[in-house]
Every structure is written in structure tokens, then in C-alpha cells.
Amino acid sequence: MKKVLLVVVVFISSFVHAQQEVKVDLLDALAFKTLEFSYEYYTTERSSIGVSALFNFEKRTADFKYNEQQMFTPFFRHYFTNNRNWNHFGEVFMGINTGEREVELDGATNTYKKYTDGALGIAVGSKYVSSGGFVIDVYAGLGRNLFTSESRSIVPRIGVNLGYRF
């Protein structure tokens, strides 16, 4: 029993002392009426894992919007330097996305079909971390939907995140 308790305490304490970040994407909120929240957990000094959740509130009639209504994106990032303030990274992600696509049925327009798909992609970016824990990161990338022909084939991954490291 003591060994199990010791293992549990060591396991939990490894998460408590690790660096973590919570962020919100301001570019999406201001330009696209979309909210994207991210959580990132550092596994080493030069790599991290995380997840983003995107929720699109833009109407169908908007001139420019994301095709995805919701997207949950687990990702892995590798940082190219050990610099604590400025760092560049590469990212691999798998975006599970849902949305609607306009289809034509028997000559009728404005008919929409819902889809769910998964996109595999890559992104690159840069991150600044202040000494007080303030974080800003900028990234861009593309993914490709893999599982259905109902969805758009290309999925963008673009953002300007503001957040806090603890």
C-alpha cells in the first residue's frame, strides 16, 4: 500500500511542477467570430503536447469564415532552441472537425449536409514567454481531411494566442 501511495504522489507531483499554458486565440475572436482555447503541457524543455478547441459562431451567409463549426485539435510541438523567452516550433496535429457543406439535391440550393472528419497536418510558429508568465504565440499550418468526401479537403491552422504559463 505504501508503494502504491508513493507512486501516485510522484506521478501527481510530476504534473504539478511541469510547465503548463492556457491560451485564447485573439485572431479568431476578432476576425472570424470564433473562439479557440488551448492547453499546452511541456513534457521536456523542448517538446510539449496540447489540445485546442475551436467553436465557430459565424453565420452561413458570412463572406469569409471557417468551414468547420467545431474542431478539437490534439497536437505535439517540438521547440528548436532552449531559449526561455523566444522560441520557434514545429507542430504535428490531428484535428477532429465538424461542419456543414452546401450540396445540391434535385436542383434545390441551400441544402446543407453535416459532416465529421479528421485532419492530419503540420504547422510552424514562434512563441514569446515573458518572465512573469505572459505568453504570445503565432503559428500557421495546413491539414488534410482524411475520412470523408463530404468535408473540405484542406483545414487551416492559423492563430495568434495570448495566455499564461504556470
Side-chain angles (χ1 to χ4, degrees):
M1 180 65 177
K2 289 180 183 179
K3 290 180 184 180
V4 172
L5 183 60
L6 179 63
V7 169
V8 169
V9 168
V10 169
F11 180 73
I12 291 172
S13 67
S14 69
F15 285 105
V16 172
H17 296 291
Q19 292 179 344
Q20 303 172 55
E21 295 174 2
V22 290
K23 300 173 275 195
V24 63
D25 190 340
L26 286 183
L27 176 68
D28 284 348
L30 296 174
F32 304 115
K33 289 187 183 176
T34 303
L35 288 178
E36 183 174 6
F37 302 99
S38 298
Y39 170 79
E40 190 172 351
Y41 174 79
Y42 285 79
T43 56
T44 68
E45 284 185 18
R46 294 181 69 177
S47 63
S48 67
I49 57 173
V51 65
S52 295
L54 177 135
F55 304 97
N56 188 349
F57 300 107
E58 191 68 75
K59 295 184 177 13
R60 288 181 186 159
T61 58
D63 292 333
F64 187 75
K65 69 179 192 85
Y66 281 117
N67 294 316
E68 298 77 25
Q69 291 298 314
Q70 296 177 346
M71 186 163 165
F72 299 98
T73 311
F75 59 85
F76 170 79
R77 285 184 177 171
H78 177 74
Y79 293 89
F80 298 120
T81 67
N82 287 331
N83 189 335
R84 302 221 22 108
N85 292 102
W86 281 102
N87 210 333
H88 305 290
F89 60 85
E91 175 182 288
V92 176
F93 68 89
M94 174 68 183
I96 293 88
N97 58 82
T98 63
E100 310 179 305
R101 184 164 186 176
E102 189 171 8
V103 295
E104 187 174 321
L105 296 174
D106 299 329
T109 57
N110 296 334
T111 303
Y112 293 89
K113 186 169 185 178
K114 294 186 180 215
Y115 68 85
T116 300
D117 207 342
L120 184 62
I122 59 172
V124 294
S126 185
K127 180 184 285 191
Y128 172 76
V129 182
S130 73
S131 58
F134 174 75
V135 175
I136 183 167
D137 67 19
V138 179
Y139 59 89
L142 290 174
R144 181 164 180 83
N145 276 325
L146 302 171
F147 303 113
T148 181
S149 61
E150 300 299 327
S151 62
R152 306 274 185 213
S153 59
I154 301 295
V155 175
R157 178 128 166 93
I158 302 169
V160 177
N161 286 331
L162 294 176
Y164 183 72
R165 178 182 283 185
F166 53 96

